């Protein structure tokens, strides 16, 4: 092959990456060298970790670790097939039954991730004659699911129930199915979706109600049952999605609802049908995690104590943690809004040099001009670690002119 004369058909990628570099928003992946923990080593540097979704410290909980090891010894490392062929192990069924009981619903199906749970579910039961009414800040996996379904997408302003109702009203005489869909907790701002109002709107217009509780499972509601429990909306949300990858500490996503919904997804959700199921260790880890949620309330209590302390102290330092033009966070996610994308990325790099990992998030993940450092509290950060992190944030913030 005359490789010397072949032009690179992917050279446009280099150009686009150069554009990111010019804008200051190009990043390298930070590599974790030890466990996912409140203090850990990224790229050879010890840092206080304010960036993980490990809300309850479950990534290293001894009972979960032991469950994973025991399942690996007993059942091996892989499931060997997709669920519908030969890859449904007893332990997968046990996990689904456990989650269904925990969430107080008829049935549950576990997917490989929260992303595939959302994308696979929305696209399975809607088609081009149907309508989806969706919060403008819903997670990317919901948006992709909506697009895959080919249904018509009507976006409503963030948390604006009246606007959602307007959108539902605008298609009420159309024959297609209607789906109203919202995140339970929004991942970039940490605010909670207005479930009571949305459920009322869905009921008024006969729409299917769906909530993605990825950031609220293990965080909100009794023993971490999520926003539906937090608002006492049991029986009014037709489709509940959750993740096993955040507070639960392992990997996976799930959908909860009626037995028929779950049976339908078994037959029609493409990631369920065409992608291999979890290794038994993952299912065992998640079963143990739900046991721990029910028996060790101290993790959630500590998570919320740390969250209250962190929000109060960040506010006292003078950082913009949302509230005026950006929703104020009501959860362990606290954004430090900087605005400019380049300044945000520089701030994040400088914090890292000083021993604090706070991920910078810029456009297109958040709107232009709303770039931020997103901090996430966990139950296992100590007071001393948080105080050290605050000291670094203050010092670097002043040096860079972010704090007055
Ligand atoms: C993280 C997240 C997901 C994806 O969950 P994974 O299990 O990581 O794939 C879905 N929805 C929301 C709102 C999320 O924050």
């Amino acid at each position: 092959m005359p490789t010397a004369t072949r032009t690179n058909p992917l050279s446009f990628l280099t150009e686009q990456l150069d554009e990111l570099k010019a804008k200051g928003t190009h990043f390298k992946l930070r590599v974790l060298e030890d466990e996912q923990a409140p203090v850990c080593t990224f790229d050879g540097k010890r840092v206080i970790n304010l960036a993980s979704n490990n809300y309850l410290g479950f990534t290293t909980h001894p009972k979960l670790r032991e469950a994973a090891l025991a399942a690996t010894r007993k059942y091996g490392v892989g499931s060997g097939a997709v669920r519908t062929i030969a890859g449904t192990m007893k332990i997968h069924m046990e996990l689904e039954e456990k989650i269904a009981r925990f969430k107080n619903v008829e049935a549950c199906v576990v997917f490989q991730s929260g992303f595939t749970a959302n994308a696979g579910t929305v696209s399975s039961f809607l088609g081009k004659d149907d309508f989806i009414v969706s919060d403008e800040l819903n997670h990317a996996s919901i948006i992709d699911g909506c697009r895959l379904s080919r249904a018509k997408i009507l976006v409503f302003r963030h948390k604006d129930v009246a606007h959602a109702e307007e959108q539902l009203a605008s298609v009420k005489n159309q024959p297609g199915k209607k789906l109203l869909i919202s995140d339970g907790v929004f991942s970039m701002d940490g605010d909670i979706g207005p479930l009571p109002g949305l459920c009322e709107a869905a009921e008024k217009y006969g729409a299917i109600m769906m909530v993605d509780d990825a950031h609220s499972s293990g965080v909100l509601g009794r023993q971490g049952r999520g926003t539906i429990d937090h608002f006492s909306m049991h029986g009014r949300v037709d489709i509940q999605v959750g993740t096993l990858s955040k507070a639960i500490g392992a990997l996976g996503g799930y959908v909860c609802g009626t037995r028929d919904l779950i049976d339908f997804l078994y037959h029609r959700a493409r990631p369920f049908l065409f992608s291999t199921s979890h290794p038994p260790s993952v299912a065992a880890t998640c079963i143990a995690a739900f046991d721990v949620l029910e028996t060790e309330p101290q993790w959630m209590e500590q998570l919320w104590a740390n969250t209250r302390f962190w929000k109060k102290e960040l506010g006292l330092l003078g950082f913009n943690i949302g509230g005026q033009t950006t929703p104020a966070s009501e959860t362990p996610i606290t954004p430090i809004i900087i605005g400019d994308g380049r300044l945000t990325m520089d701030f994040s790099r400088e914090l890292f040099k000083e021993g604090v990992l706070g991920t910078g998030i810029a456009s297109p993940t958040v709107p232009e001009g709303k770039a931020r450092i997103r901090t996430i509290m966990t139950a296992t950060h100590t007071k001393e670690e948080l105080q050290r992190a605050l000291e670094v944030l203050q010092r670097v913030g002043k040096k860079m002119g972010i704090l007055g």
Side-chain angles (χ1 to χ4, degrees):
M1 279 284 281
T3 50
T5 57
R6 189 171 178 266
T7 54
N8 178 7
L10 290 176
S11 60
F12 66 96
L13 296 180
T14 314
E15 285 159 28
Q16 292 190 15
L17 287 169
D18 286 343
E19 271 172 38
L20 289 182
K21 284 173 191 164
K23 274 207 297 194
T25 53
H26 181 268
F27 58 81
K28 287 208 175 71
L29 297 175
R30 294 218 182 275
V31 179
L32 176 60
E33 293 166 17
D34 41 23
E35 293 179 342
Q36 181 60 256
V39 178
C40 51
T41 311
F42 278 93
D43 298 335
K45 185 161 179 63
R46 290 294 280 173
V47 289
I48 299 168
N49 181 357
L50 299 177
S52 90
N53 299 310
N54 186 23
Y55 290 107
L56 302 172
F58 280 11
T59 55
T60 55
H61 191 293
K63 286 181 186 158
L64 275 60
R65 200 192 292 262
E66 201 40 57
L69 291 169
T72 301
R73 280 190 213 101
K74 194 163 174 192
Y75 302 114
V77 296
S79 74
V82 301
R83 289 285 297 274
T84 50
I85 306 287
T88 295
M89 302 174 91
K90 205 166 165 207
I91 204 161
H92 294 131
M93 301 307 291
E94 258 175 57
L95 174 59
E96 290 175 345
E97 283 155 23
K98 179 139 196 112
I99 298 172
R101 277 199 305 278
F102 184 75
K103 291 276 184 174
N104 196 24
V105 292
E106 274 179 33
C108 167
V109 53
V110 170
F111 286 79
Q112 297 84 359
S113 71
F115 195 104
T116 54
N118 270 326
T121 298
V122 174
S123 58
S124 71
F125 67 88
L126 294 177
K128 65 175 178 25
D129 298 324
D130 300 323
F131 299 90
I132 301 169
V133 178
S134 174
D135 188 292
E136 63 181 334
L137 294 189
N138 275 344
H139 191 260
S141 54
I142 293 178
I143 297 169
D144 284 14
C146 294
R147 288 181 184 154
L148 279 170
S149 77
R150 298 199 191 88
K152 233 179 143 121
I153 303 163
L154 308 169
V155 173
F156 62 92
R157 287 185 296 274
H158 183 48
K159 299 215 302 185
D160 188 335
V161 174
H163 193 210
E165 205 173 319
E166 239 172 76
Q167 296 285 36
L168 285 169
S170 74
V171 293
K172 75 167 190 278
N173 295 324
Q174 305 272 354
K177 297 184 277 292
K178 285 98 193 183
L179 172 73
L180 179 55
I181 186 163
S182 175
D183 281 8
V185 167
F186 291 87
S187 53
M188 291 301 147
D189 293 289
D191 52 337
I192 302 177
L195 264 52
L198 291 177
C199 285
E200 236 170 76
E203 283 154 14
K204 186 165 163 192
Y205 291 95
I208 303 158
M209 183 71 212
M210 176 164 171
V211 173
D212 175 5
D213 248 349
H215 276 285
S216 33
S217 306
V219 174
L220 285 170
R222 286 168 307 142
Q223 296 169 318
R225 284 176 167 77
T227 53
I228 286 114
D229 191 75
H230 172 78
F231 285 117
S232 300
M233 306 304 283
H234 293 283
R236 298 181 64 188
V237 176
D238 305 293
I239 306 176
Q240 301 184 38
V241 172
T243 179
L244 304 166
S245 326
K246 290 178 173 129
I248 299 304
L251 174 70
Y254 56 86
V255 177
C256 286
T258 61
R259 173 49 57 206
D260 282 352
L261 169 70
I262 302 314
D263 199 23
F264 180 86
L265 293 174
Y266 282 175
H267 288 82
R268 286 288 179 271
R270 292 170 67 83
F272 186 85
L273 292 162
F274 294 106
S275 185
T276 298
S277 54
H278 281 153
S281 58
V282 171
T285 304
C286 296
I287 291 171
F290 284 97
D291 280 336
V292 171
L293 275 183
E294 288 174 318
T295 55
E296 299 182 9
Q298 64 266 36
W299 304 115
M300 262 184 76
E301 283 160 19
Q302 195 53 48
L303 170 65
W304 281 97
N306 281 350
T307 296
R308 283 187 291 274
F309 173 78
W310 183 248
K311 282 188 195 305
K312 179 172 118 257
E313 296 296 322
L314 274 182
L316 287 175
L317 288 182
F319 284 111
N320 172 6
I321 57 171
Q324 296 279 325
T325 53
T326 318
S329 167
E330 305 154 84
T331 68
I333 298 169
T334 308
I336 301 175
I337 316 274
I338 308 293
D340 180 63
R342 183 191 301 270
L343 180 60
T344 302
M345 294 307 171
D346 288 347
F347 187 37
S348 175
R349 271 189 287 271
E350 213 49 43
L351 289 172
F352 186 79
K353 280 191 212 151
E354 299 293 325
V356 169
L357 178 70
T359 311
I361 299 174
S363 163
T365 309
V366 294
E368 196 77 52
K370 294 272 171 63
R372 66 200 58 193
I373 304 286
R374 183 180 63 167
T375 69
I376 299 185
M377 256 322 89
T378 79
T380 48
H381 283 95
T382 65
K383 206 47 148 315
E384 187 271 328
E385 287 158 5
L386 296 183
Q387 251 139 6
R388 254 196 299 147
L390 287 163
E391 187 274 315
V392 171
L393 278 161
Q394 181 177 35
R395 182 154 41 82
V396 178
K398 278 195 172 147
K399 190 175 79 181
M400 296 185 66
I402 291 162
L403 285 179

